[in-house]
Amino acid sequence: MPPSAATHAGDIRARWAWVEPWVWTDRMLTALEQGVKGGTWFSLIDKVYALPTLRAAFTRVKANGGAAGVDHQTVAMVEARQDATLAHLAQQLREGTYRPQPVRRVWIPKLGSRERPLGIPTVRDRIVQTALRLVLEPIFERTFAAQSYGFRPGRGCKDALRRVQQLLEGGYTEVVDADLRHYFDTIPHEALRAAMRTKVRDGRVLALLDAYLEQGVMDGLATWTPEEGTPQGAVISPLLANIYLDALDHAMAAAGFEMVRYADDFLVLCRTPSDATEALAQLTRWTTAAGLQLHPEKTRLVDATQSGGFDFLGYHFAQGKRWPRKKSLQKLKATLRAKTRRQQGHSLAVIITDVNRTLRGWFEYFQHSRRAAFRPVDSWLRRRLRCILRHRQGRRGHGYVDNRRWPTAYFAAQGLYSLITAHAQRCQSVAR
């Protein structure tokens, strides 16, 4: 390869550093950037069933862990027969005999009394879905809109939050706080297939995607086939969901609206109330035509300069500030409450080490909150720890005496992570 061509290939590889290199060779990446004939890709199934792709897919499935599906095969059990399992999957995919098994549905608790469904595909199906995503994701990622942040390589919640803050500070304070009702469960299959066909024309790959869309769901002894929506718990579902909403992203951008979307949770930030009203009208027209529905109770117009504000990705925004929304605090306290029960037998040092891991992770995400958000959590946690210590001494009651017996300095000496201290240190670091 001539030096200039090698440099060009290296630049392309650097821009696509996150892709699987065996699947996406330099030649394919060049075709991806320059565009293929007709704008659509053929002959992709051989990349899906290639053993190096399946091995890379299993490595990712193993890293994610997860429970067994309806076949009761765990990740460890599949790993014990990895070569034979992958070879068998490759043969089935090559011969067109592969069929996904039903998804096992379980119900997990939410805050309050409600539960939400979670789908668990088999490990072998997760491997094939991951291989399929490794092949397809770059094709669609190339033209995904900039205002989409959810389930995309190199992007995440913090990027979306940073963009929202920039827009608010830039005067975009009239906000359409939008919510799609049961989005993942209501995507029309035929319209999703049409969106896929705009870039992929490999009939065997499209048939594989159809098999997942028609994948059964097993809840106890009951089994049924969904007629709409993306497959429950599937590795491929976030990509399919982004593909379907990409047209909305581009439509809003073409109309001049500043939208920030994370999966099915999105905002449109405007400068004037009339712009916000028009943005909501356009959202309503698009979602109706796309077979989707804006949630009538959760979609609203908000003036971000007022006290009411809006929630987005765990934060509450109002009057130029942000802090953890109520549900985020409730979830944190539920986690800490389980770690600080009075009857547990762990030493204080073990308990503090455990809660510190939770506090550090939580602060890492919510560190941009206003200072007032942290002190109540610190105080609440110290009260829980005092209850443990008092219980072990056989004492009754609580209050000011406990505060003197085990003051804040006592817990600091034991190494308890302090949110308010961490926030002060962060502010000092930013100031420097």
Side-chain angles (χ1 to χ4, degrees), residues 384-399:
R384 299 235 4 130
L385 295 176
R386 290 184 184 112
C387 286
I388 294 174
L389 296 173
R390 185 176 64 252
H391 177 75
R392 292 178 178 178
Q393 292 185 356
R395 297 178 181 271
R396 293 180 176 273
H398 60 89

Side-chain angles (χ1 to χ4, degrees), residues 96 202 239 371 385:
D202 186 320
L239 175 60
R371 183 174 183 272
L385 295 176

Side-chain angles (χ1 to χ4, degrees), residues 5-246:
T7 301
H8 179 63
D11 291 341
I12 295 176
R13 176 63 62 185
R15 288 193 291 273
W16 295 90
W18 55 272
V19 304
E20 178 56 41
W22 191 91
V23 178
W24 286 92
T25 62
D26 290 346
R27 182 179 63 83
M28 286 189 66
L29 286 179
T30 300
L32 180 67
E33 289 209 346
Q34 294 178 353
V36 292
K37 185 177 180 180
T40 56
W41 289 77
F42 296 84
S43 302
L44 294 172
I45 190 65
D46 61 313
K47 301 293 189 298
V48 177
Y49 64 64
L51 279 173
T53 308
L54 293 174
R55 290 193 190 100
F58 177 72
T59 298
R60 301 192 184 203
V61 170
K62 179 183 175 182
N64 290 332
V70 296
D71 62 354
H72 308 293
Q73 295 290 302
T74 64
V75 173
M77 294 166 68
V78 172
E79 184 179 21
R81 301 185 68 252
Q82 177 180 344
D83 290 342
T85 299
L86 298 185
H88 185 55
L89 283 174
Q91 180 181 356
Q92 288 184 312
L93 289 165
R94 184 169 54 251
E95 296 174 352
T97 59
Y98 167 83
R99 296 292 183 274
Q101 294 178 273
V103 170
R104 181 168 70 90
R105 172 170 283 186
V106 297
W107 294 85
I108 59 176
K110 293 182 67 176
L111 288 174
S113 58
R114 295 184 301 167
E115 293 182 318
R116 70 178 181 91
L118 176 67
I120 304 177
T122 64
V123 176
R124 66 191 293 276
D125 287 340
R126 300 205 294 267
I127 294 170
V128 178
Q129 289 172 19
T130 303
L132 191 59
R133 196 194 75 204
L134 292 176
V135 174
L136 294 180
E137 190 169 35
I139 295 173
F140 291 92
E141 180 66 30
R142 178 177 174 269
T143 56
F144 275 164
Q147 59 265 47
S148 167
Y149 294 89
F151 306 111
R152 293 184 60 187
R155 287 168 166 250
C157 291
K158 291 184 178 180
D159 301 298
L161 291 166
R162 190 177 300 113
R163 180 57 180 161
V164 170
Q165 190 66 42
Q166 289 172 348
L167 289 169
L168 290 172
E169 293 172 355
Y172 292 81
T173 57
E174 299 294 332
V175 180
V176 182
D177 183 6
D179 184 273
L180 286 172
R181 192 170 196 170
H182 305 305
Y183 171 60
F184 282 83
D185 295 330
T186 59
I187 299 175
H189 284 177
E190 192 51 46
L192 177 57
R193 291 185 181 104
M196 291 293 304
R197 288 194 295 267
T198 61
K199 287 184 169 57
V200 175
R201 288 300 181 92
D202 186 320
R204 295 170 69 183
V205 168
L206 294 173
L208 189 56
L209 288 168
D210 278 345
Y212 286 124
L213 293 179
E214 297 166 1
Q215 191 173 12
V217 177
M218 181 176 290
D219 190 349
L221 298 178
T223 303
W224 74 95
T225 301
E227 296 181 356
E228 57 186 4
T230 56
Q232 290 275 347
V235 176
I236 201 73
S237 283
L239 175 60
L240 297 179
N242 273 335
I243 289 171
Y244 196 62
L245 285 183
D246 186 53

Side-chain angles (χ1 to χ4, degrees), residues 16 121 138 150 180 245 261 278 280-281 285 299 304 308 330-331 335 368 376 380 387:
W16 295 90
L180 286 172
L245 285 183
R261 181 174 69 81
E278 174 54 32
L280 178 56
R285 290 192 295 269
T299 300
Q330 290 173 343
K331 186 176 180 180
T335 301
H368 301 287
W380 175 86
C387 286

Side-chain angles (χ1 to χ4, degrees), residues 347-410:
S347 68
L348 182 64
V350 171
I351 295 171
I352 286 177
T353 299
D354 192 18
V355 300
N356 279 355
R357 283 193 290 266
T358 298
L359 292 170
R360 286 193 177 95
W362 192 82
F363 180 78
E364 171 63 24
Y365 187 77
F366 289 104
Q367 61 180 295
H368 301 287
S369 300
R370 63 180 183 181
R371 183 174 183 272
F374 301 111
R375 190 178 299 279
V377 179
D378 282 343
S379 299
W380 175 86
L381 179 57
R382 287 194 296 268
R383 284 197 300 272
R384 299 235 4 130
L385 295 176
R386 290 184 184 112
C387 286
I388 294 174
L389 296 173
R390 185 176 64 252
H391 177 75
R392 292 178 178 178
Q393 292 185 356
R395 297 178 181 271
R396 293 180 176 273
H398 60 89
Y400 184 66
V401 175
D402 282 353
N403 293 349
R404 288 187 299 172
R405 185 177 291 122
W406 300 294
T408 300
Y410 170 82

